[in-house]
């Protein structure tokens, strides 16, 4: 990359930091995991295109035991489909389905299907099942970072084309409207704005960034600063419509087809395509007091964060997150990334002289209604803040509308799109790390390996296992308190991409070597051994669920867990 372009890139990143992009895009996964030793470097964006494709093909060959796929005439598959929606085979259109937010992998599908609803999707899955090799990938908003929503030579289903299919408020108990039916292809940001503006209601559990589809986050978990109280998004759905890998259209819930329901939630798209979700709602607050406080000691930061997430509703904040930043004036990774308002200054003279290479920021929010007395809100907030052991003077606070708070990364997205940073490679790594290992992780990874930052936010906040349902397919560490750690890197094309990928791999290897109780969130692995280790004692259940609901391994091939078979 020419120097001028690199400088421009860094400048834009620093503007983003000023805008509190602490979550430039929360979450994703480390591209190219630690087992690259099995097959060497892969289709990094930094490769010239032809080489990239060759590397990609090599990976596919590796994954399919060296069996090259036959070339299909797409019309032979699609002509009998008789869909209400459309089938795109034009190269420029289907190439939109060959990329994702990571910009690290690419895979060219045979066709891009824009279904009108579950019937179309079921027909596509059934048509694929009549071939020996064709796979089907549901694509939400393609905000995965390692090709999870892609298929090489298969059919991509653009779920966004169904986003208008459902939006129906339900009155379950005859009094309060507690649930809403939304399409699996709907974006959470649209669910939010419509629920609030039309009904004054809102879902309870979110992701930091809302340009993600309902089906995409429910296939993983969906976590943010509300998950300590309400659990992840997968703990906040009551019912789903699913098209299974057999092409069956099925309604499922805790009581109706429960095995399918719990398989699909956190199921990485392996068991069915979610076409409708019934989501729990609560009364939407009007305003949010949004606060950041800085810590120099990790132990104090974690003690306060764990205390806040362990308190009852009404006795704590409504949102608890945190991040690590470098103890220096770097505009992206250091002190300037903390203030919530460009007019707030960060006074480094307040940092204790005992502070190390990194500092910690606890980010909390308190929600309230317009007609709550300001003095009541002030008293409640100051009562909560008073108990925290942050560095005196390093507290930043703003008042924002509730919807603005939840859409806080929208503006960041727009800025980043305008500057091109949004389209940069994102070699992310997301981990769930048990409380027992988090201090060691801090000592080695934050304080040493990442002390100069990662060109993007490093999130860390505690979650409670008891708010998750063990029957879902999500893989978690064992302990009640575990931390989400997210390395949300945004790097320019070039050698930094491979360096970041290598560092992610080194971190995962270190976790394994030290025996940490951890899981990757939004996992990305290449070998069966790694997937078995990832799921641990849930692996057998995961395999049995696959055999029940997608026996030919047609769905979500981009996760690289199962190989397509010709017979159930
Ligand atoms: P896609 O990337 O399109 O698909 C993801 C997987 O789900 C694929 O395997 C796909 O085949 C499958 N899939 C898609 N739709 C369906 C469906 N309807 N039914 C079944 N399977 C389906 N995650 C968090 O938990 N919290 C965050 O705060 C957060 N912030 C993010 C911010 C940014 C900027 C980005 C890029 C990602 C973030 N994520 C976060 C991660 C995000 O939740 C996952 O990457 C999610 O999969 C993306 O949703 P998507 O709709 O783009 O799904």
């Amino acid at each position: 990359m020419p120097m001028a372009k690199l400088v421009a890139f860094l400048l834009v990143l620093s503007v983003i930091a000023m805008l509190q992009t602490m979550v430039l895009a929360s979450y994703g996964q480390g591209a190219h995991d630690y087992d690259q030793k099995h097959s060497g470097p892969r289709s990094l964006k930094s490769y010239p295109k032809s080489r990239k494709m060759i590397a990609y093909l090599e990976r596919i060959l590796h994954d399919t035991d060296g069996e090259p796929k036959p070339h299909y005439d797409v019309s032979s598959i699609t002509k009998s489909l008789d869909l209400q929606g459309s089938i795109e085979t034009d190269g420029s259109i289907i190439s939109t389905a060959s990329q994702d937010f990571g910009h690290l992998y690419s895979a060219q599908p045979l066709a891009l299907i824009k279904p009108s609803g579950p019937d179309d999707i079921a027909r596509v899955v059934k048509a694929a099942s009549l071939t020996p090799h064709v796979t089907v990938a549901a694509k939400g908003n393609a905000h995965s970072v390692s090709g999870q929503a892609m298929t090489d030579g298969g059919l991509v289903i653009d779920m966004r084309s169904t986003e208008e299919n459902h939006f129906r408020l339900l009155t379950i108990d005859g009094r309060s409207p507690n649930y809403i039916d939304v399409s699996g292809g709907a974006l959470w940001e649209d669910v939010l704005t419509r629920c609030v503006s039309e009904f004054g209601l809102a879902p309870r559990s979110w992701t930091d960034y809302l340009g993600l589809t309902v089906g995409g986050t429910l296939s993983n978990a969906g976590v943010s600063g509300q998950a300590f109280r309400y659990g992840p998004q997968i703990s906040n759905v009551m019912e789903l419509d699913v098209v299974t890998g057999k092409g069956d259209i099925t309604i499922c819930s805790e009581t109706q087809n429960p095995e399918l329901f719990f398989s699909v939630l956190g199921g990485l798209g392996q068991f069915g395509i979610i076409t409708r979700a019934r989501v729990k709602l609560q009364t939407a607050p009007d305003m949010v007091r949004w606060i950041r406080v800085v810590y120099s000691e990790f132990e104090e930061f974690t003690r306060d964060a764990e205390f806040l997430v362990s308190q009852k509703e009404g006795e704590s904040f409504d949102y608890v997150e945190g991040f690590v930043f470098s103890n220096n004036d770097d505009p992206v990774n250091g002190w300037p990334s903390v203030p919530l308002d460009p007019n707030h200054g960060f006074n480094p003279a307040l940092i204790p002289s005992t502070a190390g290479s990194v500092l910690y920021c606890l980010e909390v929010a308190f929600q309230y209604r317009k007609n709550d007395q300001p003095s009541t809100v002030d008293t409640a907030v100051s009562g909560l803040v008073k108990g925290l052991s942050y560095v005196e003077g390093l507290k930043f606070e703003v008042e924002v509308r509730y919807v603005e708070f939840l859409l806080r990364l929208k503006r960041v997205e727009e800025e980043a799109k305008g500057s091109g940073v949004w389209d940069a490679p994102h070699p992310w790594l997301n981990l769930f790390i048990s409380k027992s290992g988090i201090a060691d992780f801090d000592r080695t990874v934050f304080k040493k390996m990442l002390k100069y930052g990662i060109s993007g936010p490093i999130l860390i906040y505690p979650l409670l296992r008891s708010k998750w349902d063990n029957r879902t397919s999500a893989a978690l560490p064992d302990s009640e308190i575990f931390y989400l750690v997210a390395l949300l890197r945004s790097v320019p094309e070039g050698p930094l991409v491979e360096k970041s990928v290598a560092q992610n791999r080194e971190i995962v290897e270190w976790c394994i070597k030290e025996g940490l109780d951890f899981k990757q969130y939004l996992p990305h692995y290449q070998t069966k051994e790694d997937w078995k280790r990832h799921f641990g004692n849930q692996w057998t259940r995961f395999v049995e669920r696959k055999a029940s609901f997608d026996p030919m391994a047609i769905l979500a091939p981009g996760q690289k867990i199962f190989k397509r078979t010709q017979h159930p």
Side-chain angles (χ1 to χ4, degrees), residues 25-27 138 140-144 148 208 213 219-220 223 274 521 559:
S26 342
Y27 306 35
N141 210 18
H143 275 39
S144 295
Q148 286 92 338
D208 294 339
T213 64
S219 298
N220 286 293
V223 294
I274 300 167
Y521 176 47
Q559 300 278 5

Side-chain angles (χ1 to χ4, degrees), residues 31-178:
H32 317 278
D33 281 295
Y34 64 93
D35 62 341
Q36 274 192 355
K37 61 182 178 285
H38 295 301
S39 49
R42 304 200 179 90
S43 55
L44 299 181
K45 179 91 177 191
S46 54
Y47 282 19
K49 275 226 160 39
S50 53
R51 172 119 183 263
K52 186 170 100 174
M53 191 46 71
I54 290 165
Y56 183 73
L57 289 174
E58 278 167 2
R59 176 161 63 88
I60 293 297
L61 289 176
H62 171 80
D63 291 343
T64 54
D65 297 331
E67 288 168 30
K69 294 198 185 70
H71 175 74
Y72 285 101
D73 171 11
V74 65
S75 62
S76 69
I77 302 171
T78 55
K79 71 178 172 216
S80 58
L81 279 174
D82 192 22
L83 302 184
Q84 296 288 306
S86 63
I87 302 168
E88 312 284 352
T89 52
D90 180 82
S92 63
I93 297 177
I94 61 173
S95 70
T96 58
S98 68
Q99 290 288 325
D100 65 17
F101 184 78
H103 292 288
L104 301 162
Y105 287 84
S106 67
Q108 195 72 4
L110 207 53
L112 177 64
I113 315 278
K114 297 191 177 235
S116 71
D119 283 343
D120 279 359
I121 296 172
R123 281 166 196 251
V124 172
V125 173
K126 283 191 171 140
S129 74
L130 299 176
T131 72
H133 294 283
V134 170
T135 52
V136 175
K139 176 168 89 74
N141 210 18
H143 275 39
S144 295
V145 300
S146 304
Q148 286 92 338
M150 295 178 196
T151 162
D152 179 50
L155 305 170
V156 170
I157 299 194
D158 180 1
M159 296 305 293
R160 294 282 308 279
S161 72
T162 67
E163 60 194 318
E164 293 300 325
N165 285 15
H166 302 275
F167 191 78
R168 193 163 66 96
L169 192 64
L170 298 141
T171 306
I172 298 295
D173 61 8
R175 283 174 293 122
S176 50
N178 293 330

Side-chain angles (χ1 to χ4, degrees), residues 23-29 100-101 136-145 148-150 159 184-185 187 206-209 211-217 219-224 233 264 268-270 272-275 321 409 422 428 461 521-522 556 558-559:
V23 205
L24 175 87
S26 342
Y27 306 35
Q29 57 268 53
D100 65 17
F101 184 78
V136 175
K139 176 168 89 74
N141 210 18
H143 275 39
S144 295
V145 300
Q148 286 92 338
M150 295 178 196
M159 296 305 293
L187 291 182
W206 293 100
T207 47
D208 294 339
Y209 164 78
L212 309 167
T213 64
V214 169
T217 68
S219 298
N220 286 293
V223 294
S224 184
Q233 292 181 317
V264 165
L268 307 176
Q270 294 305 302
I273 297 178
I274 300 167
T275 57
E321 286 204 6
L409 296 178
W422 195 256
W428 286 2
Y461 56 88
Y521 176 47
L522 312 162
Q559 300 278 5

Side-chain angles (χ1 to χ4, degrees), residues 1 125 144 148 155 157 163 193 210 218 222 237 309 382 486 554:
M1 164 177 285
V125 173
S144 295
Q148 286 92 338
L155 305 170
I157 299 194
E163 60 194 318
T193 47
L210 306 188
L218 294 181
V237 283
V309 301
S382 56
I554 288 169

Side-chain angles (χ1 to χ4, degrees), residues 1 7 19 27 36 59 64 85 90 124 130 156 199 209 260 280 284-285 291 311 354 371 374 380 407 453 464 497 519:
M1 164 177 285
V7 169
L19 285 166
Y27 306 35
Q36 274 192 355
R59 176 161 63 88
T64 54
D90 180 82
V124 172
L130 299 176
V156 170
F199 313 115
Y209 164 78
L260 178 62
K280 288 185 190 172
I291 300 165
Q311 299 309 296
T354 49
N371 45 10
L407 292 176
L464 303 178
V497 178
K519 298 287 178 195

